[in-house]
mmCIF file of all heavy atoms in Angstrom:
data_model
loop_
_atom_site.group_PDB
_atom_site.id
_atom_site.type_symbol
_atom_site.label_atom_id
_atom_site.label_comp_id
_atom_site.label_asym_id
_atom_site.label_seq_id
_atom_site.Cartn_x
_atom_site.Cartn_y
_atom_site.Cartn_z
ATOM 1 N N PHE A 415 6.691 -11.828 -0.403
ATOM 2 C CA PHE A 415 7.783 -12.506 -1.122
ATOM 3 C C PHE A 415 8.398 -13.589 -0.231
ATOM 4 O O PHE A 415 8.689 -14.694 -0.678
ATOM 5 C CB PHE A 415 8.871 -11.503 -1.533
ATOM 6 C CG PHE A 415 8.502 -10.636 -2.706
ATOM 7 C CD1 PHE A 415 8.577 -9.253 -2.620
ATOM 8 C CD2 PHE A 415 8.071 -11.210 -3.890
ATOM 9 C CE1 PHE A 415 8.240 -8.453 -3.705
ATOM 10 C CE2 PHE A 415 7.729 -10.418 -4.985
ATOM 11 C CZ PHE A 415 7.810 -9.036 -4.882
ATOM 12 N N THR A 416 8.574 -13.267 1.046
ATOM 13 C CA THR A 416 9.177 -14.243 1.971
ATOM 14 C C THR A 416 8.236 -15.425 2.190
ATOM 15 O O THR A 416 8.655 -16.590 2.184
ATOM 16 C CB THR A 416 9.482 -13.570 3.329
ATOM 17 O OG1 THR A 416 10.212 -12.362 3.095
ATOM 18 C CG2 THR A 416 10.312 -14.480 4.220
ATOM 19 N N ALA A 417 6.954 -15.123 2.379
ATOM 20 C CA ALA A 417 5.978 -16.192 2.621
ATOM 21 C C ALA A 417 5.905 -17.163 1.443
ATOM 22 O O ALA A 417 5.721 -18.366 1.622
ATOM 23 C CB ALA A 417 4.603 -15.585 2.889
ATOM 24 N N LEU A 418 6.090 -16.628 0.225
ATOM 25 C CA LEU A 418 5.954 -17.478 -0.967
ATOM 26 C C LEU A 418 7.250 -18.180 -1.360
ATOM 27 O O LEU A 418 7.219 -19.292 -1.889
ATOM 28 C CB LEU A 418 5.467 -16.637 -2.152
ATOM 29 C CG LEU A 418 3.997 -16.227 -2.122
ATOM 30 C CD1 LEU A 418 3.679 -15.312 -3.298
ATOM 31 C CD2 LEU A 418 3.081 -17.448 -2.166
ATOM 32 N N TYR A 419 8.389 -17.543 -1.106
ATOM 33 C CA TYR A 419 9.639 -18.087 -1.666
ATOM 34 C C TYR A 419 10.596 -18.692 -0.638
ATOM 35 O O TYR A 419 11.597 -19.278 -1.011
ATOM 36 C CB TYR A 419 10.353 -17.006 -2.493
ATOM 37 C CG TYR A 419 9.581 -16.656 -3.745
ATOM 38 C CD1 TYR A 419 8.719 -15.568 -3.768
ATOM 39 C CD2 TYR A 419 9.681 -17.435 -4.889
ATOM 40 C CE1 TYR A 419 7.980 -15.250 -4.916
ATOM 41 C CE2 TYR A 419 8.961 -17.136 -6.034
ATOM 42 C CZ TYR A 419 8.111 -16.043 -6.035
ATOM 43 O OH TYR A 419 7.392 -15.752 -7.172
ATOM 44 N N TYR A 420 10.307 -18.540 0.649
ATOM 45 C CA TYR A 420 11.139 -19.202 1.662
ATOM 46 C C TYR A 420 10.329 -20.379 2.205
ATOM 47 O O TYR A 420 9.222 -20.181 2.718
ATOM 48 C CB TYR A 420 11.485 -18.244 2.807
ATOM 49 C CG TYR A 420 12.619 -18.738 3.686
ATOM 50 C CD1 TYR A 420 13.925 -18.326 3.483
ATOM 51 C CD2 TYR A 420 12.363 -19.648 4.718
ATOM 52 C CE1 TYR A 420 14.965 -18.790 4.280
ATOM 53 C CE2 TYR A 420 13.402 -20.118 5.518
ATOM 54 C CZ TYR A 420 14.696 -19.686 5.293
ATOM 55 O OH TYR A 420 15.726 -20.152 6.085
ATOM 56 N N LYS A 421 10.844 -21.572 2.064
ATOM 57 C CA LYS A 421 10.097 -22.756 2.514
ATOM 58 C C LYS A 421 10.417 -23.039 3.976
ATOM 59 O O LYS A 421 11.517 -23.488 4.304
ATOM 60 C CB LYS A 421 10.459 -23.964 1.644
ATOM 61 C CG LYS A 421 10.001 -23.796 0.196
ATOM 62 C CD LYS A 421 10.420 -24.989 -0.644
ATOM 63 C CE LYS A 421 9.988 -24.793 -2.085
ATOM 64 N NZ LYS A 421 10.459 -25.892 -2.947
ATOM 65 N N PHE A 422 9.446 -22.794 4.817
ATOM 66 C CA PHE A 422 9.650 -23.021 6.252
ATOM 67 C C PHE A 422 9.395 -24.490 6.574
ATOM 68 O O PHE A 422 8.334 -25.032 6.267
ATOM 69 C CB PHE A 422 8.710 -22.124 7.064
ATOM 70 C CG PHE A 422 9.029 -20.669 6.919
ATOM 71 C CD1 PHE A 422 8.418 -19.907 5.930
ATOM 72 C CD2 PHE A 422 9.970 -20.062 7.736
ATOM 73 C CE1 PHE A 422 8.724 -18.567 5.766
ATOM 74 C CE2 PHE A 422 10.291 -18.721 7.584
ATOM 75 C CZ PHE A 422 9.666 -17.978 6.599
ATOM 76 N N HIS A 423 10.378 -25.102 7.191
ATOM 77 C CA HIS A 423 10.260 -26.531 7.489
ATOM 78 C C HIS A 423 9.767 -26.805 8.901
ATOM 79 O O HIS A 423 9.329 -27.910 9.203
ATOM 80 C CB HIS A 423 11.615 -27.221 7.287
ATOM 81 C CG HIS A 423 12.131 -27.098 5.885
ATOM 82 N ND1 HIS A 423 11.289 -27.116 4.800
ATOM 83 C CD2 HIS A 423 13.382 -26.945 5.393
ATOM 84 C CE1 HIS A 423 12.004 -26.990 3.688
ATOM 85 N NE2 HIS A 423 13.278 -26.874 4.017
ATOM 86 N N LYS A 424 9.903 -25.814 9.774
ATOM 87 C CA LYS A 424 9.528 -26.028 11.175
ATOM 88 C C LYS A 424 8.574 -24.935 11.652
ATOM 89 O O LYS A 424 8.639 -23.797 11.174
ATOM 90 C CB LYS A 424 10.786 -26.016 12.060
ATOM 91 C CG LYS A 424 11.703 -27.185 11.827
ATOM 92 C CD LYS A 424 12.891 -27.102 12.783
ATOM 93 C CE LYS A 424 13.819 -28.295 12.601
ATOM 94 N NZ LYS A 424 14.986 -28.207 13.500
ATOM 95 N N PRO A 425 7.713 -25.275 12.628
ATOM 96 C CA PRO A 425 6.829 -24.249 13.192
ATOM 97 C C PRO A 425 7.614 -23.259 14.042
ATOM 98 O O PRO A 425 8.734 -23.549 14.475
ATOM 99 C CB PRO A 425 5.866 -25.068 14.065
ATOM 100 C CG PRO A 425 6.627 -26.298 14.407
ATOM 101 C CD PRO A 425 7.516 -26.594 13.238
ATOM 102 N N ARG A 426 7.015 -22.088 14.260
ATOM 103 C CA ARG A 426 7.561 -21.017 15.108
ATOM 104 C C ARG A 426 8.840 -20.404 14.541
ATOM 105 O O ARG A 426 9.607 -19.784 15.261
ATOM 106 C CB ARG A 426 7.798 -21.510 16.542
ATOM 107 C CG ARG A 426 6.536 -22.009 17.235
ATOM 108 C CD ARG A 426 6.731 -22.200 18.715
ATOM 109 N NE ARG A 426 5.535 -22.731 19.348
ATOM 110 C CZ ARG A 426 4.463 -22.022 19.672
ATOM 111 N NH1 ARG A 426 4.451 -20.745 19.423
ATOM 112 N NH2 ARG A 426 3.401 -22.574 20.229
ATOM 113 N N HIS A 427 9.137 -20.647 13.271
ATOM 114 C CA HIS A 427 10.308 -20.046 12.640
ATOM 115 C C HIS A 427 9.921 -18.875 11.732
ATOM 116 O O HIS A 427 10.798 -18.179 11.235
ATOM 117 C CB HIS A 427 11.084 -21.091 11.835
ATOM 118 C CG HIS A 427 11.968 -21.954 12.682
ATOM 119 N ND1 HIS A 427 11.496 -22.696 13.740
ATOM 120 C CD2 HIS A 427 13.313 -22.177 12.646
ATOM 121 C CE1 HIS A 427 12.499 -23.346 14.302
ATOM 122 N NE2 HIS A 427 13.604 -23.048 13.661
ATOM 123 N N TRP A 428 8.631 -18.710 11.483
ATOM 124 C CA TRP A 428 8.143 -17.616 10.626
ATOM 125 C C TRP A 428 7.299 -16.702 11.503
ATOM 126 O O TRP A 428 6.223 -17.064 11.976
ATOM 127 C CB TRP A 428 7.325 -18.191 9.479
ATOM 128 C CG TRP A 428 6.472 -17.231 8.695
ATOM 129 C CD1 TRP A 428 5.125 -17.343 8.447
ATOM 130 C CD2 TRP A 428 6.885 -16.042 7.982
ATOM 131 N NE1 TRP A 428 4.677 -16.319 7.666
ATOM 132 C CE2 TRP A 428 5.742 -15.499 7.364
ATOM 133 C CE3 TRP A 428 8.108 -15.381 7.835
ATOM 134 C CZ2 TRP A 428 5.776 -14.330 6.594
ATOM 135 C CZ3 TRP A 428 8.141 -14.214 7.073
ATOM 136 C CH2 TRP A 428 6.994 -13.707 6.462
ATOM 137 N N ILE A 429 7.825 -15.507 11.771
ATOM 138 C CA ILE A 429 7.213 -14.599 12.735
ATOM 139 C C ILE A 429 6.827 -13.313 12.010
ATOM 140 O O ILE A 429 7.713 -12.576 11.529
ATOM 141 C CB ILE A 429 8.215 -14.263 13.881
ATOM 142 C CG1 ILE A 429 8.852 -15.538 14.464
ATOM 143 C CG2 ILE A 429 7.542 -13.410 14.952
ATOM 144 C CD1 ILE A 429 7.941 -16.469 15.199
ATOM 145 N N ASN A 430 5.523 -13.052 11.925
ATOM 146 C CA ASN A 430 5.095 -11.815 11.256
ATOM 147 C C ASN A 430 3.726 -11.391 11.749
ATOM 148 O O ASN A 430 3.008 -12.164 12.374
ATOM 149 C CB ASN A 430 5.097 -11.996 9.731
ATOM 150 C CG ASN A 430 3.919 -12.824 9.238
ATOM 151 O OD1 ASN A 430 3.155 -12.384 8.396
ATOM 152 N ND2 ASN A 430 3.751 -14.029 9.763
ATOM 153 N N SER A 431 3.405 -10.146 11.486
ATOM 154 C CA SER A 431 2.106 -9.612 11.901
ATOM 155 C C SER A 431 1.095 -9.888 10.800
ATOM 156 O O SER A 431 1.103 -9.228 9.761
ATOM 157 C CB SER A 431 2.238 -8.107 12.159
ATOM 158 O OG SER A 431 0.960 -7.531 12.307
ATOM 159 N N GLY A 432 0.214 -10.869 11.032
ATOM 160 C CA GLY A 432 -0.726 -11.279 9.998
ATOM 161 C C GLY A 432 -2.048 -10.544 10.069
ATOM 162 O O GLY A 432 -2.523 -9.998 9.081
ATOM 163 N N GLY A 433 -2.659 -10.502 11.230
ATOM 164 C CA GLY A 433 -4.003 -9.940 11.359
ATOM 165 C C GLY A 433 -4.038 -8.432 11.275
ATOM 166 O O GLY A 433 -4.822 -7.865 10.507
ATOM 167 N N LEU A 434 -3.191 -7.764 12.037
ATOM 168 C CA LEU A 434 -3.217 -6.299 12.047
ATOM 169 C C LEU A 434 -2.347 -5.716 10.940
ATOM 170 O O LEU A 434 -2.576 -4.611 10.493
ATOM 171 C CB LEU A 434 -2.739 -5.771 13.409
ATOM 172 C CG LEU A 434 -3.101 -4.315 13.700
ATOM 173 C CD1 LEU A 434 -4.617 -4.142 13.832
ATOM 174 C CD2 LEU A 434 -2.411 -3.800 14.950
ATOM 175 N N GLY A 435 -1.348 -6.475 10.494
ATOM 176 C CA GLY A 435 -0.462 -5.984 9.437
ATOM 177 C C GLY A 435 0.307 -4.765 9.899
ATOM 178 O O GLY A 435 0.233 -3.689 9.299
#
Side-chain angles (χ1 to χ4, degrees):
F415 284 126
T416 309
L418 286 176
Y419 292 96
Y420 195 96
K421 294 178 181 176
F422 294 91
H423 300 325
K424 292 182 178 179
R426 300 193 182 281
H427 280 57
W428 166 234
I429 311 293
N430 75 124
S431 169
L434 197 66

